[in-house]
Amino acid sequence: MSTDDELVRLANGVVWPGFLGIDVPEWLERELRSGLAGVVYFAQNLHGDVAALSERIHAISPCALIGIDEEGGSVTRLETATGSTVPGAAQLGAVGDLEATRATGAEIARRCGVLGIDVVLGPVADVNTDPRNPVIGTRAFGAETALVAEHTAAAVRGIQEAGLAACVKHYPGHGDTHTDSHHDLPRLELTAEQIAAAHLPPFQAAVDAGVRAVMTAHICVEEWGEEPATLNPVVLGGLRASGFDGVIITDALDMAAIRETVGIGGGAVRALAAGADLLCIGNPTNPGPAMAEDQDERDFHAARDAIVDALRDGTLSRARVEEAAARVAALAAALTRPAPDAAPAPSYDAEDIVRRAITVRGARRSIADGPTPVIDARRSSSLAVDSAASHVANELAAGGDVVRLDAEDPSSADTAAAAAGSWTRAGVLLLDRLDGSAQSALAAAVRESAPETIVVNTGLPVGDVPGAMVLDLRGANLIGARIARRMLVGA
C-alpha cells in the first residue's frame, strides 16, 4: 500500500513546471524538497541574479534539473531584453559549416551552464518543409532533411560536450504544419512513410550522436490515430524503437493543443501512460491578462495532482511512473556544469558566422549613416518566438523613427506608403514573410511611394519584392541586425 506522501514524491519526480518571479516561491521550495524534478526558466525569471537563483534551487534540491529554451537566433530567454547575440538555426544552416554549428551549440551551453542551467531545450530538429509554418520557420536549420540531420547532430555534440543535456525537438517533426500548437492542434497531412523519410532522420541523427533528451510535438497524424504525438504510445514507442533510451520530455502541457482538449491534468496522465518521462508544464505568464496571481502553482497542481489521483486509483501504472522518474534522475546524475568563470572558446566568432549567413538580393545600394526611418511590418510575436521584438528595428533605425504596422490590417499598405512618402532620406522596410502574404502587398505600396527603400527580411528567404534590394537575415537576432546596419551604410 502506497502512502499519499510516497505518491506525491513519485509524481513530483516527473513534473517540470515554470514559475513566477526571480526568486524561489514558497510552493516551489516545498515541492523541490518533496522530489520535484526541477524547473524551466522563462524570461520573467531572468531579471535578477540568475546564477544565484540556480544556486538556491540546487541547494534546496541538488538533483533538480533546470531547463531553458535557448536556441539562438529568434528564440532566446537569456537575452530577451536585447536580442540574441548568437546565430540561429536558419543562419547556421545557410552557412553550412558543421564546425560553426557545433561551436555555437557549445557557446549556448557555456552561457547556460555558467548560470547553473542543466538542460538546453534545443536544437530544433524539425525540417521546415512548409514555408507558411508560423512556429518553426527560421528556428529550423532548413527545409532539406539531410542538412537538418547533420546540423542537428553537430549542435547536440556542441551542447553536450559542455556537460549539459541537449533536448532535440519536436518529435516526430513540426516542420510541415501551418498551425501553431500554442493555439490549436495541428494535423499533418502526411503518411507515416512520408514522415519517416523526410522528418525522422534528424531525430535519428541526434539519437546516434547521443542526445540525452527528446521533446515531443503536439501534432496529429491520421495514420497514427487521433491522439497528438505527446499522448500517443505509437509515436513514442517509435522513438524508443529508434534506439533512444534517454528522457522523453513533453512540449508544454499548457499549450492550447493540450489545455483546450484534454486539459493539463489529463494531458499529464495520458503522456506518462504513452511513454513520456518528464512533463513540461509551460510558462505561467502565457494566459496574459487572464493570468492568476498563483497561475504557476495552479498549473503545477493541475498536472501533479492528476498524476497522484491516477496512481491512487490504478488508472496509471506505478511501474510506468517509476521508470520515467528513474530516467529523469539518471539524467540529473550524469550532468556536469562548466565552471562559473568559463570563457568562450577563443576561436568562436559569432559575428563572422552570421555575416556569412546574410545574403543580398537585387541591386545593391546603401543608405546614409545616421538616423534612418524604419517601417516594421513583421508578424506579431508568438508565445514561442519573440520575432517582432523591437531590438531589430531599433538597431536598423540608429535613432531614427520606427513605425510599427500590422500588415494584416487592410489600411496598413496606405499607412505605410504615406509614411514612406514623407521620408527625407532612404529608409528601411522590415518584414519577415514575403511569400505572397499581406507583407508583399505592403512592400509594393512602400516601393511605389519610396523607390529607394531597402527591405530587410528576418524570415525565410522566399518570395521577392521586385526592384528592391532585399537583405535576408534569416533570424531576428541582435547580432544579425547589427551586421545588417553596417552593411546598409557600406561599412
Side-chain angles (χ1 to χ4, degrees), residues 212-214 240 244-249 277-278 327-328 331:
R212 288 170 163 150
V214 176
R240 291 296 182 208
F244 179 65
D245 194 37
V247 176
I248 297 177
I249 302 175
D277 302 307
L278 185 57
R327 283 201 181 100
V328 174
L331 174 60

Side-chain angles (χ1 to χ4, degrees), residues 4 27 66 145 150-151 173 212 231 245 280 323 449 461 464:
D4 280 354
W27 75 265
I66 301 175
T145 302
E150 60 185 4
H151 282 275
R212 288 170 163 150
L231 314 180
D245 194 37
C280 178
E323 176 189 49
S449 180
D464 199 7

Side-chain angles (χ1 to χ4, degrees), residues 380-399:
S380 299
S381 296
S382 70
L383 294 177
V385 187
D386 196 9
S387 54
S390 61
H391 56 263
V392 176
N394 291 340
E395 192 70 26
L396 295 172

Side-chain angles (χ1 to χ4, degrees), residues 449-467:
S449 180
E452 296 301 308
T453 300
I454 295 174
V455 176
V456 174
N457 172 32
T458 62
L460 298 172
V462 295
D464 199 7
V465 181

Side-chain angles (χ1 to χ4, degrees), residues 245-307:
D245 194 37
V247 176
I248 297 177
I249 302 175
T250 69
D251 206 346
L253 297 180
D254 71 346
M255 293 162 61
I258 301 297
R259 182 194 283 271
E260 302 303 324
T261 54
V262 298
I264 292 177
V269 171
R270 292 171 64 173
L272 287 167
D277 302 307
L278 185 57
L279 308 174
C280 178
I281 306 304
N283 187 347
T285 69
N286 282 346
M291 181 188 75
E293 289 186 2
D294 60 346
Q295 191 70 51
D296 50 356
E297 190 174 4
R298 290 188 188 196
D299 289 349
F300 162 74
H301 277 291
R304 201 279 308 278
D305 294 355
I307 298 167

Side-chain angles (χ1 to χ4, degrees), residues 143-239:
E144 298 177 6
T145 302
L147 178 145
V148 174
E150 60 185 4
H151 282 275
T152 296
V156 166
R157 286 193 291 270
I159 292 168
Q160 297 194 164
E161 284 169 5
L164 278 67
C167 176
V168 294
K169 55 191 183 185
H170 309 80
Y171 186 87
H174 209 311
D176 201 282
T177 69
H178 54 272
T179 300
D180 184 347
S181 51
H182 291 83
H183 303 294
D184 203 352
L185 180 59
R187 295 181 179 274
L188 266 64
E189 303 299 326
L190 298 174
T191 65
E193 184 177 358
Q194 289 170 321
I195 292 171
H199 296 278
L200 294 187
F203 294 96
Q204 186 64 59
V207 171
D208 294 343
V211 73
R212 288 170 163 150
V214 176
M215 178 173 281
T216 64
H218 304 326
I219 57 171
C220 281
V221 177
E222 183 176 353
E223 196 169 330
W224 289 330
E226 285 299 307
E227 294 174 313
T230 298
L231 314 180
N232 194 318
V234 174
V235 178
L236 301 191
L239 176 55

Side-chain angles (χ1 to χ4, degrees), residues 103-131:
T104 297
E107 173 59 12
I108 289 173
R110 183 197 68 82
R111 295 183 182 196
C112 293
V114 297
L115 296 175
I117 295 166
D118 305 292
V119 182
V120 176
L121 297 174
V124 169
D126 303 317
V127 183
N128 197 70
T129 50
D130 189 339

Side-chain angles (χ1 to χ4, degrees), residues 335-360:
L335 301 181
T336 58
R337 302 180 197 98
D341 58 351
S347 60
Y348 183 67
D349 189 343
E351 188 168 297
D352 175 68
I353 296 168
V354 176
R355 186 185 300 112
R356 287 188 281 156
I358 295 174
T359 52
V360 181

